[in-house]
Coordinates of all heavy atoms in Angstrom, one line a residue:
E9 N -9.5 -17.1 -0.8 CA -9.2 -17.6 0.5 C -7.7 -18.1 0.5 O -6.9 -17.9 1.4 CB -10.1 -18.8 0.9 CG -11.4 -18.4 1.3 CD -12.3 -19.6 1.6 OE1 -12.3 -20.5 0.7 OE2 -13.0 -19.6 2.6
R10 N -7.4 -18.8 -0.6 CA -6.0 -19.4 -0.7 C -5.0 -18.3 -0.9 O -3.9 -18.4 -0.3 CB -6.0 -20.4 -1.9 CG -4.6 -21.0 -2.1 CD -4.2 -21.9 -0.9 NE -3.0 -22.5 -1.2 CZ -2.0 -22.7 -0.3 NH1 -2.2 -22.3 1.0 NH2 -0.9 -23.2 -0.6
A11 N -5.3 -17.2 -1.6 CA -4.4 -16.1 -1.8 C -4.0 -15.5 -0.5 O -2.9 -15.2 -0.2 CB -5.1 -15.0 -2.7
F12 N -5.1 -15.3 0.4 CA -4.7 -14.7 1.7 C -4.0 -15.7 2.6 O -3.2 -15.2 3.4 CB -6.0 -14.1 2.4 CG -6.4 -12.8 1.8 CD1 -7.4 -12.7 0.8 CD2 -5.8 -11.6 2.2 CE1 -7.8 -11.5 0.3 CE2 -6.1 -10.4 1.7 CZ -7.1 -10.3 0.7
E13 N -4.3 -16.9 2.5 CA -3.5 -17.9 3.2 C -2.1 -17.9 2.8 O -1.2 -17.9 3.7 CB -4.1 -19.3 3.0 CG -3.5 -20.4 3.8 CD -4.2 -21.7 3.5 OE1 -4.0 -22.3 2.4 OE2 -4.9 -22.2 4.4
L14 N -1.8 -17.8 1.5 CA -0.5 -17.7 1.0 C 0.2 -16.4 1.5 O 1.4 -16.5 1.9 CB -0.4 -17.8 -0.5 CG -0.8 -19.1 -1.1 CD1 -1.0 -18.9 -2.6 CD2 0.3 -20.1 -0.9
A15 N -0.5 -15.4 1.5 CA 0.0 -14.0 2.0 C 0.4 -14.2 3.5 O 1.4 -13.6 3.9 CB -0.9 -12.9 1.8
R16 N -0.4 -14.9 4.3 CA -0.1 -15.1 5.7 C 1.0 -16.0 6.1 O 1.7 -15.8 7.0 CB -1.4 -15.4 6.4 CG -2.4 -14.4 6.7 CD -3.5 -14.9 7.6 NE -4.1 -16.2 7.3 CZ -5.1 -16.4 6.4 NH1 -5.6 -15.3 5.8 NH2 -5.5 -17.6 6.1
E17 N 0.9 -17.1 5.3 CA 1.7 -18.3 5.8 C 2.8 -18.8 4.9 O 3.5 -19.8 5.3 CB 0.7 -19.4 6.1 CG -0.4 -19.1 7.0 CD -1.5 -20.1 7.2 OE1 -1.4 -21.1 6.5 OE2 -2.5 -19.8 7.9
S18 N 3.0 -18.3 3.7 CA 3.9 -18.8 2.8 C 5.2 -18.0 2.7 O 5.3 -17.0 3.4 CB 3.3 -19.1 1.4 OG 3.3 -17.8 0.8
G19 N 6.0 -18.3 1.8 CA 7.2 -17.5 1.6 C 7.0 -16.5 0.5 O 8.0 -15.9 0.1
C20 N 5.8 -16.3 0.0 CA 5.5 -15.4 -1.1 C 5.8 -14.0 -0.5 O 5.4 -13.6 0.5 CB 4.0 -15.4 -1.5 SG 3.6 -17.0 -2.3
R21 N 6.6 -13.2 -1.3 CA 7.0 -11.9 -0.9 C 6.3 -10.7 -1.6 O 6.4 -9.7 -1.2 CB 8.5 -11.7 -1.2 CG 9.4 -12.7 -0.4 CD 10.8 -12.5 -0.9 NE 10.9 -12.7 -2.3 CZ 11.7 -13.4 -3.0 NH1 12.6 -14.2 -2.3 NH2 11.7 -13.5 -4.3
D22 N 5.4 -11.1 -2.6 CA 4.6 -10.1 -3.2 C 3.4 -10.7 -3.9 O 3.3 -11.9 -3.9 CB 5.5 -9.2 -4.2 CG 6.2 -10.1 -5.3 OD1 5.6 -11.1 -5.7 OD2 7.2 -9.6 -5.7
V23 N 2.5 -9.8 -4.5 CA 1.3 -10.3 -5.1 C 1.7 -11.2 -6.2 O 1.0 -12.2 -6.5 CB 0.4 -9.1 -5.5 CG1 -0.8 -9.6 -6.2 CG2 0.0 -8.3 -4.3
E24 N 2.7 -10.9 -7.0 CA 3.1 -11.7 -8.2 C 3.4 -13.1 -7.8 O 3.0 -14.1 -8.5 CB 4.2 -11.0 -9.0 CG 4.5 -11.7 -10.3 CD 3.3 -11.9 -11.2 OE1 2.5 -11.0 -11.3 OE2 3.2 -13.0 -11.8
E25 N 4.1 -13.3 -6.7 CA 4.4 -14.6 -6.2 C 3.2 -15.4 -5.7 O 3.0 -16.6 -6.0 CB 5.5 -14.6 -5.1 CG 6.8 -14.3 -5.5 CD 7.9 -14.5 -4.4 OE1 7.8 -15.5 -3.7 OE2 8.7 -13.6 -4.2
V26 N 2.2 -14.6 -5.2 CA 1.0 -15.2 -4.8 C 0.3 -15.7 -6.0 O -0.3 -16.8 -6.1 CB 0.1 -14.3 -4.0 CG1 -1.3 -14.8 -3.8 CG2 0.7 -13.9 -2.6
R27 N 0.2 -14.8 -7.1 CA -0.4 -15.2 -8.4 C 0.2 -16.5 -9.0 O -0.5 -17.4 -9.4 CB -0.2 -14.1 -9.4 CG -1.2 -13.0 -9.3 CD -1.0 -12.1 -10.4 NE -1.9 -10.9 -10.3 CZ -1.6 -9.7 -10.3 NH1 -0.3 -9.4 -10.6 NH2 -2.5 -8.7 -10.2
R28 N 1.6 -16.5 -9.0 CA 2.3 -17.7 -9.6 C 1.9 -18.9 -8.8 O 1.8 -20.0 -9.4 CB 3.7 -17.4 -9.7 CG 4.2 -16.5 -10.8 CD 5.7 -16.5 -11.0 NE 6.4 -16.2 -9.9 CZ 6.9 -14.9 -9.6 NH1 6.6 -13.9 -10.4 NH2 7.6 -14.7 -8.5
T29 N 2.0 -18.8 -7.5 CA 1.7 -20.0 -6.7 C 0.3 -20.5 -6.9 O 0.0 -21.7 -7.0 CB 2.0 -19.6 -5.2 OG1 3.3 -19.3 -5.0 CG2 1.7 -20.9 -4.3
L30 N -0.7 -19.6 -6.9 CA -2.1 -20.0 -7.2 C -2.2 -20.7 -8.5 O -2.8 -21.8 -8.6 CB -3.0 -18.8 -7.1 CG -3.2 -18.2 -5.7 CD1 -3.9 -16.9 -5.9 CD2 -4.1 -19.2 -4.9
A31 N -1.6 -20.2 -9.5 CA -1.6 -20.8 -10.9 C -1.0 -22.2 -10.8 O -1.5 -23.1 -11.5 CB -0.9 -19.9 -11.9
S32 N 0.2 -22.3 -10.2 CA 0.9 -23.6 -10.1 C 0.1 -24.6 -9.4 O 0.2 -25.8 -9.6 CB 2.2 -23.4 -9.5 OG 2.2 -23.2 -8.1
E33 N -0.9 -24.2 -8.4 CA -1.7 -25.0 -7.7 C -2.9 -25.4 -8.4 O -3.8 -26.2 -7.9 CB -2.0 -24.5 -6.3 CG -0.8 -24.4 -5.4 CD -1.2 -23.7 -4.0 OE1 -2.3 -23.3 -3.8 OE2 -0.3 -23.7 -3.2
G34 N -3.1 -24.8 -9.6 CA -4.3 -25.2 -10.5 C -5.5 -24.3 -10.3 O -6.5 -24.6 -10.9
Y35 N -5.3 -23.2 -9.6 CA -6.5 -22.3 -9.5 C -6.7 -21.6 -10.8 O -5.7 -21.2 -11.5 CB -6.3 -21.3 -8.4 CG -6.4 -21.9 -7.0 CD1 -5.4 -22.5 -6.3 CD2 -7.7 -21.8 -6.4 CE1 -5.6 -23.0 -5.1 CE2 -7.9 -22.4 -5.1 CZ -6.9 -23.0 -4.5 OH -7.1 -23.5 -3.3
S36 N -7.9 -21.4 -11.2 CA -8.2 -20.7 -12.5 C -8.8 -19.4 -12.3 O -9.3 -19.1 -11.1 CB -9.2 -21.5 -13.3 OG -10.4 -21.7 -12.6
G37 N -8.6 -18.5 -13.2 CA -9.1 -17.1 -13.1 C -8.3 -16.3 -12.1 O -8.9 -15.3 -11.5
V38 N -7.1 -16.7 -11.9 CA -6.3 -15.9 -10.8 C -6.1 -14.4 -11.2 O -6.3 -13.6 -10.3 CB -4.9 -16.6 -10.7 CG1 -4.0 -15.8 -9.8 CG2 -5.0 -18.0 -10.2
E39 N -5.9 -14.1 -12.4 CA -5.7 -12.7 -12.8 C -7.0 -11.9 -12.5 O -6.9 -10.8 -12.0 CB -5.4 -12.6 -14.3 CG -4.0 -13.1 -14.7 CD -2.9 -12.4 -14.0 OE1 -3.0 -11.1 -13.8 OE2 -1.9 -13.0 -13.5
Q40 N -8.1 -12.5 -12.8 CA -9.4 -11.8 -12.5 C -9.7 -11.6 -11.0 O -10.1 -10.6 -10.6 CB -10.6 -12.5 -13.1 CG -10.6 -12.5 -14.7 CD -9.7 -13.6 -15.3 OE1 -9.1 -14.4 -14.6 NE2 -9.7 -13.6 -16.6

Side-chain angles (χ1 to χ4, degrees):
E9 285 175 315
R10 182 63 178 139
F12 281 100
E13 183 177 73
L14 290 169
R16 280 190 313 273
E17 302 171 4
S18 76
C20 294
R21 296 176 308 229
D22 56 33
V23 176
E24 186 55 38
E25 284 189 49
V26 171
R27 279 188 183 127
R28 284 194 303 267
T29 302
L30 288 167
S32 74
E33 291 179 355
Y35 284 88
S36 60
V38 173
E39 291 299 321
Q40 292 85 359

